[in-house]
Amino acid sequence: MRIINQYQCETEIRHSRFICILSNVSTEEEARLFIKDVQKQYRDATHVCTAYVIGKDNAITRSSDNGEPSGTAGMPMLESLKKSGLNNVCACVVRYFGGIKLGTGGLVRAYGGIVADACRACPKAMEKMIYVYEISYDYSLQGSLETWLRTYHTIRDIYYDDSVHAMVESSGADLLDQVEAVSHGRASGRLLRTQLSLVPLE
């Protein structure tokens, strides 16, 4: 499960201001660049603590307390990311100190809590494999085959020469077999590529 767009939320705890920013990242380099951008944007903040999970089964995990007492910021943030079910995501929590110390437990609850809240509230999507085909058929099949393609799949483009060529996106790997059955062997096709697409969750 992924977040759709960068997401930000804010809370105040005993006069300290906490800002959580989540972003999609696919590599550690992307995570580092995102963290660097947040640090630059909030260069006057007391702390910018970070955590990220990347890869299949969250194979890569990193966190930083950025000057907060060891284990009170980055690790709670990381645990919240792991429990959220999200992957390939980086969290930055910006803190502006409000003059009242929160203590070890208070910091853990603050940093872990705001990341957990952000993960619950942010718009999410599931990754889905999409298959892109070129389907070629005679003009006489425009009424039947083309209508079927538009009904059950997604036609992205069509061009014409001696026959009709439709660029079709499908969630199934068996579209060519379906096309052969629907057209009674009068249409042909080829798989152009596969790609991951984000499908928003309701």
Side-chain angles (χ1 to χ4, degrees):
M1 187 163 55
R2 303 281 299 272
I3 68 172
I4 296 177
N5 298 305
Q6 195 173 108
Y7 180 80
Q8 180 171 322
C9 63
E10 183 174 334
T11 190
E12 184 176 306
I13 302 173
R14 301 188 71 185
H15 303 299
S16 277
R17 181 184 174 202
F18 291 87
I19 305 166
C20 179
I21 309 150
L22 300 180
S23 181
N24 271 321
V25 291
S26 298
T27 64
E28 285 199 90
E29 180 62 22
E30 287 183 14
R32 286 191 286 266
L33 288 172
F34 169 63
I35 290 167
K36 187 176 180 180
D37 286 344
V38 173
Q39 290 171 335
K40 183 177 179 181
Q41 182 180 354
Y42 295 95
R43 59 171 58 90
D44 60 334
T46 314
H47 304 280
V48 179
C49 303
T50 61
Y52 57 83
V53 292
I54 296 172
K56 186 177 180 180
D57 299 321
N58 295 333
I60 301 171
T61 61
R62 300 282 186 274
S63 64
S64 169
D65 295 312
N66 191 233
E68 291 282 29
S70 180
T72 62
M75 283 305 297
M77 292 169 60
L78 184 59
E79 287 304 309
S80 291
L81 288 181
K82 289 179 178 179
K83 292 176 182 176
S84 72
L86 295 170
N87 59 5
N88 288 357
V89 61
C90 181
C92 292
V93 176
V94 178
R95 183 190 183 191
Y96 288 92
F97 181 55
I100 300 175
K101 292 185 177 181
L102 301 183
T104 300
L107 289 172
V108 169
R109 288 189 295 273
Y111 281 100
I114 193 170
V115 172
D117 290 345
C119 289
R120 280 191 295 270
C122 68
K124 303 173 187 68
M126 293 296 293
E127 286 186 328
K128 187 176 183 180
M129 184 65 74
I130 298 296
Y131 300 84
V132 182
Y133 298 89
E134 178 185 23
I135 306 298
S136 301
Y137 47 93
D138 188 78
Y139 283 88
S140 64
L141 293 175
Q142 278 188 287
S144 56
L145 178 61
E146 199 169 297
T147 298
W148 179 84
L149 287 170
R150 291 187 186 280
T151 301
Y152 296 103
H153 305 278
T154 302
I155 295 180
R156 290 299 183 193
D157 193 19
I158 294 182
Y159 68 93
Y160 306 91
D161 49 30
D162 292 340
S163 57
V164 184
H165 306 274
M167 301 300 113
V168 181
E169 289 184 0
S170 174
S171 59
D174 60 344
L175 178 62
L176 296 180
D177 292 335
Q178 295 179 39
V179 165
E180 184 176 358
V182 171
S183 69
H184 304 290
R186 296 165 60 202
S188 62
R190 61 191 179 106
L191 177 65
L192 298 178
R193 63 183 181 276
T194 59
Q195 61 192 39
L196 280 175
S197 179
L198 291 178
V199 179
L201 299 176
E202 294 297 333

